[in-house]
Amino acid sequence: MSRRRHAAYVAITLGALVASSSPAAADSGTGRVTHWAPSGIVSDQYESHPAFDPLTGDLYFVRSTPQFRGWRILYSHCTPSGWSSPQDAPFAGDGVEADPWFSPDGRSVWFISNRTTDGVHREDLDIWRVERGADGHWGQPVRLPSPINSTGYEWFPRLAPDGWLYFGSDRPGGFGKTDIWRARTDGQGGWTVENAGPALNGPNDEYEALPSPNGQRLILMAENGAGDVRTLYESHKTGNGWSPRRALGPDVNATGSEIGALFSPTGKTLMFARDLHGNESGEFFVWRGGLSAASAAEEAWPAACPAPQH
């Protein structure tokens, strides 16, 4: 496991430090951030990296120790009495697994894993994909080929509407330590990989890039050089590529521990995880109203569980 990311993820940073060290806030509206802690999901462990199944509404997420070790992908489904007790994902393997993401049609999940491959337990984390059959059951996960996966660590695979797959990697050739890279198929079964560029990447660590559902906005998680402050940034697509990243405001970047962002299907709402430390550890938060016009009504996402009775 990457010592840099591990050290950064378990660090404790005061909000005042974030305020003094983060760049100016982005142009997005202020909105409001609320704690999302439904019974059955919240625990004394570290919950992060949510992903909702578009076909079933099930919640997939990462649970680890309060120190952010031992990542596992779990899932829970909404029952008449609330969220079910989380279980291992149907496609779970051995080892560390994290960063699940559903394709919009719900037919595939992308994630990272160091599960055993060809009888060999891998040390680095690679990108995997699993497809769902017509019968609704998940198939066998497939490790993506080189050059997407490297001899280093890969993180947070997210597919943009234009076909580019964004991910973090500490492979050589970047602008800093870990950079955001992107890949797309070449039409002949292979992949072309390129660095996502200096608008997103700097001299330190960039791990997570989340394109919006319409592909016009990107949320980025990056760390400072010491690995003890994590910040969510925003970038917009322009005629010349992505605009230079700008940090989201202090309502979102409150403790320097914000990770694992997820857009709602409309792109108007953002969910992420934040370390509250102590007994609560990693918890989910929802940012409403900050990504849309000030006059826009807030959407009811995530959906209530159990669903309200009419």
Side-chain angles (χ1 to χ4, degrees):
M1 183 182 300
S2 168
R3 293 182 62 186
R4 289 194 299 272
R5 192 190 195 201
H6 176 264
Y9 273 13
V10 302
I12 297 177
T13 306
L14 296 177
L17 178 59
V18 178
S20 64
S21 62
S22 297
D27 293 332
S28 293
T30 301
R32 66 186 183 97
V33 174
T34 57
H35 189 190
W36 191 76
S39 177
I41 302 300
V42 66
S43 75
D44 60 356
Q45 301 298 294
Y46 201 122
E47 283 83 40
S48 66
H49 296 81
F52 289 95
D53 186 332
L55 300 184
T56 67
D58 291 348
L59 170 63
Y60 287 65
F61 64 98
V62 174
R63 177 172 285 170
S64 53
T65 69
Q67 295 76 34
F68 206 63
R69 297 187 178 97
W71 308 331
R72 297 294 296 168
I73 299 174
L74 305 183
Y75 82 109
S76 173
H77 58 274
C78 184
T79 74
S81 58
W83 290 102
S84 65
S85 177
Q87 305 291 323
D88 280 335
F91 47 82
D94 60 350
V96 169
E97 300 191 313
D99 299 359
W101 183 82
F102 280 87
S103 60
D105 63 7
R107 296 300 180 185
S108 61
V109 171
W110 306 69
F111 62 101
I112 60 172
S113 175
N114 68 352
R115 65 175 61 195
T116 299
T117 307
D118 297 327
V120 177
H121 183 74
R122 306 186 66 85
E123 294 297 327
D124 61 317
L125 287 159
D126 286 332
I127 296 172
W128 291 67
R129 182 177 61 202
V130 60
E131 304 289 338
R132 178 156 38 195
D135 61 358
H137 292 95
W138 294 105
Q140 288 297 317
V142 175
R143 178 178 173 269
L144 270 65
S146 173
I148 294 180
N149 284 314
S150 69
T151 57
Y153 288 78
E154 276 69 51
W155 312 98
F156 204 76
R158 299 296 186 264
L159 191 64
D162 61 5
W164 283 106
L165 175 68
Y166 287 79
F167 60 97
S169 178
D170 64 356
R171 68 189 62 200
F175 290 88
K177 302 171 184 176
T178 297
D179 270 16
I180 301 301
W181 297 75
R182 64 180 191 173
R184 70 188 315 164
T185 58
D186 60 12
Q188 299 177 346
W191 291 81
T192 299
V193 175
E194 65 182 32
N195 190 281
L200 303 182
N201 293 308
N204 297 314
D205 289 301
E206 291 79 28
Y207 286 109
E208 302 177 353
L210 175 70
S212 62
N214 67 5
Q216 298 304 302
R217 173 185 271 129
L218 185 142
I219 299 296
L220 173 78
M221 189 279 282
E223 295 176 353
N224 68 346
D228 58 1
V229 177
R230 296 181 300 284
T231 302
L232 292 180
Y233 295 83
E234 181 181 33
S235 176
H236 293 266
K237 182 171 284 187
T238 72
N240 297 316
W242 293 107
S243 65
R245 72 191 199 194
R246 298 189 67 190
L248 297 176
D251 287 347
V252 174
N253 289 309
T255 67
S257 64
E258 286 73 23
I259 59 173
L262 172 70
F263 280 110
S264 67
T266 66
K268 297 178 180 178
T269 306
L270 191 76
M271 179 180 278
F272 59 92
R274 173 185 293 161
D275 191 353
L276 296 180
H277 316 307
N279 293 333
E280 293 181 294
S281 188
E283 298 280 334
F284 292 122
F285 287 80
V286 179
W287 185 35
R288 306 179 190 279
L291 297 171
S292 54
S295 60
E298 291 184 358
E299 61 180 341
W301 182 88
C305 177
Q309 299 297 315
H310 298 289

